[in-house]
Short mmCIF file of all heavy atoms in Angstrom, two decimals:
data_model
loop_
_atom_site.label_atom_id
_atom_site.label_comp_id
_atom_site.label_asym_id
_atom_site.label_seq_id
_atom_site.Cartn_x
_atom_site.Cartn_y
_atom_site.Cartn_z
N PRO A 739 39.49 -21.76 -78.67
CA PRO A 739 39.98 -22.92 -79.63
C PRO A 739 40.64 -23.97 -78.96
O PRO A 739 40.49 -25.17 -79.26
CB PRO A 739 41.02 -22.17 -80.64
CG PRO A 739 40.53 -20.67 -80.48
CD PRO A 739 40.10 -20.53 -79.10
N GLN A 740 41.57 -23.71 -77.92
CA GLN A 740 42.20 -24.74 -77.18
C GLN A 740 41.19 -25.66 -76.49
O GLN A 740 41.38 -26.87 -76.58
CB GLN A 740 43.19 -24.16 -76.15
CG GLN A 740 44.29 -23.41 -76.84
CD GLN A 740 45.29 -22.79 -75.80
OE1 GLN A 740 45.29 -23.27 -74.62
NE2 GLN A 740 46.05 -21.80 -76.18
N VAL A 741 40.27 -25.10 -75.82
CA VAL A 741 39.32 -25.87 -75.13
C VAL A 741 38.46 -26.66 -76.10
O VAL A 741 38.12 -27.83 -75.82
CB VAL A 741 38.35 -25.02 -74.21
CG1 VAL A 741 37.25 -25.79 -73.67
CG2 VAL A 741 39.13 -24.33 -73.13
N GLU A 742 38.03 -26.09 -77.19
CA GLU A 742 37.29 -26.81 -78.16
C GLU A 742 37.99 -28.10 -78.68
O GLU A 742 37.49 -29.18 -78.81
CB GLU A 742 36.95 -25.91 -79.38
CG GLU A 742 35.94 -24.90 -79.09
CD GLU A 742 35.57 -24.06 -80.37
OE1 GLU A 742 36.19 -24.28 -81.40
OE2 GLU A 742 34.77 -23.17 -80.27
N LYS A 743 39.30 -27.87 -78.87
CA LYS A 743 40.13 -28.94 -79.47
C LYS A 743 40.27 -30.08 -78.50
O LYS A 743 40.15 -31.22 -78.80
CB LYS A 743 41.58 -28.41 -79.78
CG LYS A 743 42.46 -29.45 -80.57
CD LYS A 743 43.73 -28.79 -80.94
CE LYS A 743 44.62 -29.72 -81.84
NZ LYS A 743 44.89 -31.04 -81.20
N ILE A 744 40.44 -29.74 -77.24
CA ILE A 744 40.51 -30.81 -76.08
C ILE A 744 39.17 -31.58 -76.10
O ILE A 744 39.18 -32.75 -76.02
CB ILE A 744 40.79 -30.19 -74.72
CG1 ILE A 744 42.22 -29.60 -74.75
CG2 ILE A 744 40.66 -31.16 -73.61
CD1 ILE A 744 42.59 -28.90 -73.50
N CYS A 745 38.07 -30.86 -76.10
CA CYS A 745 36.72 -31.48 -76.05
C CYS A 745 36.53 -32.47 -77.23
O CYS A 745 36.03 -33.56 -77.04
CB CYS A 745 35.62 -30.49 -76.16
SG CYS A 745 35.52 -29.41 -74.63
N ILE A 746 36.97 -32.02 -78.44
CA ILE A 746 36.79 -32.87 -79.66
C ILE A 746 37.79 -34.07 -79.63
O ILE A 746 37.34 -35.25 -79.88
CB ILE A 746 36.96 -32.11 -80.96
CG1 ILE A 746 35.84 -31.02 -81.02
CG2 ILE A 746 36.90 -32.96 -82.21
CD1 ILE A 746 36.04 -30.01 -82.15
N ASP A 747 39.02 -33.72 -79.27
CA ASP A 747 40.06 -34.80 -79.32
C ASP A 747 39.79 -35.90 -78.25
O ASP A 747 39.93 -37.08 -78.45
CB ASP A 747 41.44 -34.18 -79.12
CG ASP A 747 41.96 -33.42 -80.23
OD1 ASP A 747 41.22 -33.41 -81.32
OD2 ASP A 747 42.91 -32.68 -80.14
N LYS A 748 39.43 -35.46 -77.03
CA LYS A 748 39.19 -36.44 -75.98
C LYS A 748 37.80 -36.81 -75.71
O LYS A 748 37.49 -37.71 -74.84
CB LYS A 748 39.84 -35.86 -74.69
CG LYS A 748 41.30 -35.59 -74.76
CD LYS A 748 41.86 -35.12 -73.38
CE LYS A 748 43.44 -34.97 -73.38
NZ LYS A 748 43.91 -34.60 -72.19
N GLY A 749 36.85 -36.25 -76.48
CA GLY A 749 35.52 -36.55 -76.31
C GLY A 749 34.89 -36.35 -74.96
O GLY A 749 34.25 -37.05 -74.33
N LEU A 750 35.38 -35.11 -74.39
CA LEU A 750 35.08 -34.77 -72.96
C LEU A 750 33.59 -34.41 -72.81
O LEU A 750 32.94 -33.73 -73.55
CB LEU A 750 35.90 -33.57 -72.59
CG LEU A 750 37.46 -33.96 -72.43
CD1 LEU A 750 38.11 -32.61 -71.89
CD2 LEU A 750 37.69 -34.98 -71.43
N THR A 751 33.02 -34.90 -71.71
CA THR A 751 31.74 -34.46 -71.23
C THR A 751 31.80 -33.99 -69.74
O THR A 751 30.82 -33.59 -69.21
CB THR A 751 30.74 -35.59 -71.29
OG1 THR A 751 31.19 -36.62 -70.49
CG2 THR A 751 30.47 -35.97 -72.79
N ASP A 752 32.96 -34.06 -69.20
CA ASP A 752 33.22 -33.70 -67.75
C ASP A 752 33.93 -32.43 -67.71
O ASP A 752 35.10 -32.37 -68.23
CB ASP A 752 33.94 -34.76 -67.07
CG ASP A 752 34.12 -34.58 -65.57
OD1 ASP A 752 33.52 -33.61 -65.12
OD2 ASP A 752 34.68 -35.49 -65.00
N GLU A 753 33.39 -31.44 -67.07
CA GLU A 753 34.02 -30.12 -66.90
C GLU A 753 35.33 -30.14 -66.12
O GLU A 753 36.11 -29.21 -66.20
CB GLU A 753 33.11 -29.09 -66.37
CG GLU A 753 32.63 -29.35 -64.92
CD GLU A 753 31.71 -28.32 -64.45
OE1 GLU A 753 31.27 -27.43 -65.23
OE2 GLU A 753 31.34 -28.39 -63.36
N SER A 754 35.53 -31.10 -65.21
CA SER A 754 36.67 -31.18 -64.41
C SER A 754 37.93 -31.30 -65.21
O SER A 754 38.91 -30.74 -64.82
CB SER A 754 36.55 -32.34 -63.36
OG SER A 754 36.49 -33.58 -64.05
N GLU A 755 37.90 -31.98 -66.38
CA GLU A 755 39.09 -32.07 -67.11
C GLU A 755 39.46 -30.77 -67.77
O GLU A 755 40.54 -30.39 -67.94
CB GLU A 755 38.84 -33.11 -68.28
CG GLU A 755 38.76 -34.60 -67.82
CD GLU A 755 40.12 -34.99 -67.28
OE1 GLU A 755 41.12 -34.59 -67.83
OE2 GLU A 755 40.11 -35.81 -66.27
N ILE A 756 38.43 -30.02 -68.15
CA ILE A 756 38.62 -28.66 -68.78
C ILE A 756 39.25 -27.74 -67.60
O ILE A 756 40.22 -26.95 -67.92
CB ILE A 756 37.39 -28.07 -69.31
CG1 ILE A 756 36.89 -28.94 -70.37
CG2 ILE A 756 37.59 -26.65 -69.87
CD1 ILE A 756 35.52 -28.55 -70.99
N LEU A 757 38.70 -27.91 -66.43
CA LEU A 757 39.24 -26.99 -65.30
C LEU A 757 40.69 -27.38 -65.04
O LEU A 757 41.47 -26.51 -64.77
CB LEU A 757 38.28 -27.23 -64.10
CG LEU A 757 36.91 -26.63 -64.03
CD1 LEU A 757 36.09 -27.15 -62.93
CD2 LEU A 757 37.04 -25.07 -64.09
N LYS A 758 40.95 -28.69 -65.14
CA LYS A 758 42.37 -29.10 -64.87
C LYS A 758 43.31 -28.48 -65.96
O LYS A 758 44.35 -28.07 -65.66
CB LYS A 758 42.49 -30.56 -64.92
CG LYS A 758 43.80 -31.11 -64.45
CD LYS A 758 43.68 -32.67 -64.38
CE LYS A 758 42.73 -33.19 -63.41
NZ LYS A 758 42.73 -34.68 -63.35
N PHE A 759 42.82 -28.51 -67.19
CA PHE A 759 43.62 -27.88 -68.29
C PHE A 759 43.83 -26.34 -68.00
O PHE A 759 44.88 -25.83 -68.17
CB PHE A 759 42.88 -28.08 -69.68
CG PHE A 759 43.37 -27.18 -70.74
CD1 PHE A 759 44.61 -27.44 -71.35
CD2 PHE A 759 42.63 -26.13 -71.13
CE1 PHE A 759 45.13 -26.61 -72.39
CE2 PHE A 759 43.17 -25.26 -72.13
CZ PHE A 759 44.35 -25.54 -72.76
N LEU A 760 42.78 -25.65 -67.64
CA LEU A 760 42.91 -24.26 -67.47
C LEU A 760 43.80 -23.97 -66.23
O LEU A 760 44.47 -22.91 -66.19
CB LEU A 760 41.49 -23.63 -67.21
CG LEU A 760 40.55 -23.69 -68.39
CD1 LEU A 760 39.14 -23.14 -67.99
CD2 LEU A 760 41.15 -22.87 -69.52
#
Side-chain angles (χ1 to χ4, degrees):
Q740 295 180 20
V741 173
E742 286 180 2
K743 188 174 187 304
I744 291 175
C745 291
I746 295 171
D747 291 349
K748 298 186 177 181
L750 291 182
T751 59
D752 185 2
E753 65 181 7
S754 62
E755 289 294 325
I756 301 175
L757 288 170
K758 191 178 296 183
F759 163 75
L760 293 173

